[in-house]
Amino acid sequence: MKFIKKNCKILRYILLLVISIIPTLFTSASFYRINMNTSIEGVAKTLEILGRRQLVSVIDWINEFLYDLNALAQLSAFQNLNINELSKIIEYMKFNKPAYREIYVINSKNEILYGYAANKKEFLNSFVIKNALSGVEKMSEVTKVNNKLYIDIAVPIFSEDNSIGAICARIDLEYLNDLMKSIEKDETIESFIVDKNGLFLTDSRYLPDAVGNLKIDLQRVKTSIDFSKTLPYKDYRGIDVYGCYFNVNDTGWTLIVQKDADSVKKQNQTIIDIGKYTSLFQLLGLLALRKLKEDNTIPKEMADLIEDNIKKEKKS
């Protein structure tokens, strides 16, 4: 008789264990699946938000130079093409804003009144200068001089609605890196800008000599991101990353923001491990509670209340 009672007691504990484990395993599996999906979607949204912030900053950075040059074109020193007066203003601007590598003033006769150009003929025949002299502001493609990258921005000078010359600024793209780094705070996220050919225009976090030298397969990257922002693709290092991209208005540039897939997996695994340990502790707590209740160590009403609270916590 004692043997039968003992077996029944063991069987009851086994059944209790099985009944407790099944929902715990189901909860853990559901938690894993939901967490993986939501975490990756969260990463995609984070990259999107960061990228849009950087895009606005880059566009504002370029527009700031256009604003400066157009403001200069309204000054009497420039409208009168007074070299002595305009030279003082230009030197002051270059001193206060180092991104201005050089500022040129050209008259309607295609003569450089201020500024030095190493290849004068090529410079004056560039489409940027020709458009500015015809009354249209323009920005050039990126040029490489002495291992540094520059863009030329030119605006017309008008006098009584007639174009009498142009102001052209050569902008050092090195200062664009400072802008990018001021926004990019997360060490697991990298953002950079490439030109229409996939050439790096700003620093790579991992390769020190990428600017002006390293090219990526831009079309492949865009195609991968367009297919799905929640699926990783291989970046220029051959590493799986999640990413998004933005076309920088009227420049031909592309801003890319990406995050290593491994860092996302590690983050997910940490959350999943916490969920597993929590489920295990809850299971052990239920077993211990049942034992204490059967041994009349604690009142049945209190045990039932604690058990209900544990179950509610698991559901939430």
Side-chain angles (χ1 to χ4, degrees):
M1 190 71 175
K2 289 182 179 180
F3 177 76
I4 295 174
K5 288 183 178 180
K6 184 177 181 179
N7 284 346
C8 288
K9 190 173 183 179
I10 293 173
L11 182 61
R12 187 169 67 251
Y13 278 122
I14 293 174
L15 289 173
L16 176 62
L17 182 63
V18 171
I19 292 171
S20 300
I21 285 177
I22 290 175
T24 301
L25 292 176
F26 177 78
T27 302
S28 297
S30 300
F31 177 80
Y32 177 85
R33 179 173 55 83
I34 294 171
N35 180 69
M36 287 293 289
N37 291 337
T38 55
S39 291
I40 294 173
E41 289 174 359
V43 167
K45 290 180 180 178
T46 299
L47 295 179
E48 184 92 14
I49 293 170
L50 176 60
R52 291 194 181 282
R53 287 177 56 200
Q54 287 185 318
L55 177 65
V56 170
S57 297
V58 171
I59 293 173
D60 287 346
W61 186 77
I62 295 171
N63 287 338
E64 186 178 341
F65 296 112
L66 285 167
Y67 176 83
D68 287 348
L69 297 180
N70 278 296
L72 290 179
Q74 303 301 316
L75 299 178
S76 60
F78 288 84
Q79 293 192 349
N80 296 327
L81 298 178
N82 187 318
I83 298 176
N84 290 330
E85 292 183 13
L86 64 82
S87 62
K88 295 177 183 178
I89 299 172
I90 291 174
E91 291 303 319
Y92 176 81
M93 286 193 63
K94 289 167 63 178
F95 178 79
N96 285 278
K97 191 175 290 186
Y100 285 113
R101 177 66 180 82
E102 186 59 88
I103 297 178
Y104 307 89
V105 178
I106 304 97
N107 64 16
S108 58
K109 297 178 181 179
N110 214 28
E111 297 172 335
I112 299 177
L113 302 181
Y114 183 90
Y116 171 75
N119 192 331
K120 182 177 177 180
K121 184 177 180 180
E122 181 181 349
F123 174 72
L124 291 173
N125 287 328
S126 66
F127 84 96
V128 173
I129 299 300
K130 286 185 175 181
N131 275 276
L133 289 175
S134 65
V136 181
E137 60 184 36
K138 282 290 182 180
M139 187 184 89
S140 73
E141 294 185 0
V142 176
T143 57
K144 189 174 184 180
V145 181
N146 297 327
N147 292 321
K148 282 196 170 185
L149 301 182
Y150 302 96
I151 56 171
D152 290 336
I153 299 177
V155 302
I157 302 174
F158 289 104
S159 178
E160 297 181 354
D161 297 330
N162 296 318
S163 176
I164 61 171
I167 306 173
C168 178
R170 177 152 289 184
I171 311 299
D172 190 343
L173 291 186
E174 182 180 354
Y175 291 90
L176 185 56
N177 287 309
D178 298 334
L179 175 66
M180 299 286 286
K181 291 174 183 177
S182 67
I183 301 175
E184 182 185 303
K185 300 295 185 182
D186 191 334
E187 293 184 355
T188 65
I189 295 177
E190 180 187 28
S191 58
F192 53 89
I193 297 174
V194 297
D195 69 4
K196 64 180 182 180
N197 298 314
L199 181 70
F200 268 71
L201 303 182
T202 59
D203 287 340
S204 159
R205 171 169 283 177
Y206 306 100
L207 301 179
D209 299 324
V211 175
N213 298 309
L214 179 65
K215 284 186 179 182
I216 65 170
D217 188 341
L218 183 58
Q219 188 56 50
R220 181 186 64 82
V221 171
K222 286 186 174 183
T223 301
S224 299
I225 295 173
D226 288 339
F227 179 75
S228 175
K229 292 182 179 180
T230 58
L231 291 177
Y233 62 91
K234 298 287 185 184
D235 75 346
Y236 61 93
R237 299 166 293 154
I239 303 297
D240 283 340
V241 297
Y242 297 99
C244 62
Y245 73 88
F246 303 88
N247 296 316
V248 183
N249 296 359
D250 302 323
T251 62
W253 301 354
T254 301
L255 169 67
I256 297 175
V257 187
Q258 60 186 36
K259 183 181 179 73
D260 286 0
D262 281 345
S263 65
V264 179
K265 290 179 182 178
K266 289 178 182 178
Q267 178 182 341
N268 286 339
Q269 190 58 49
T270 300
I271 298 173
I272 291 165
D273 288 342
I274 293 173
K276 289 179 180 178
Y277 296 143
T278 301
S279 298
L280 178 61
F281 288 141
Q282 288 179 342
L283 174 61
L284 294 175
L286 283 172
L287 293 176
L289 186 64
R290 291 292 178 88
K291 175 63 177 174
L292 292 173
K293 184 170 69 173
E294 290 176 359
D295 294 344
N296 295 321
T297 304
I298 59 176
K300 182 177 181 300
E301 292 79 7
M302 183 180 294
D304 290 339
L305 180 61
I306 296 172
E307 186 174 348
D308 289 341
N309 289 334
I310 293 175
K311 288 179 179 179
K312 288 178 182 178
E313 185 179 343
K314 286 181 68 177
K315 290 180 180 178
S316 61

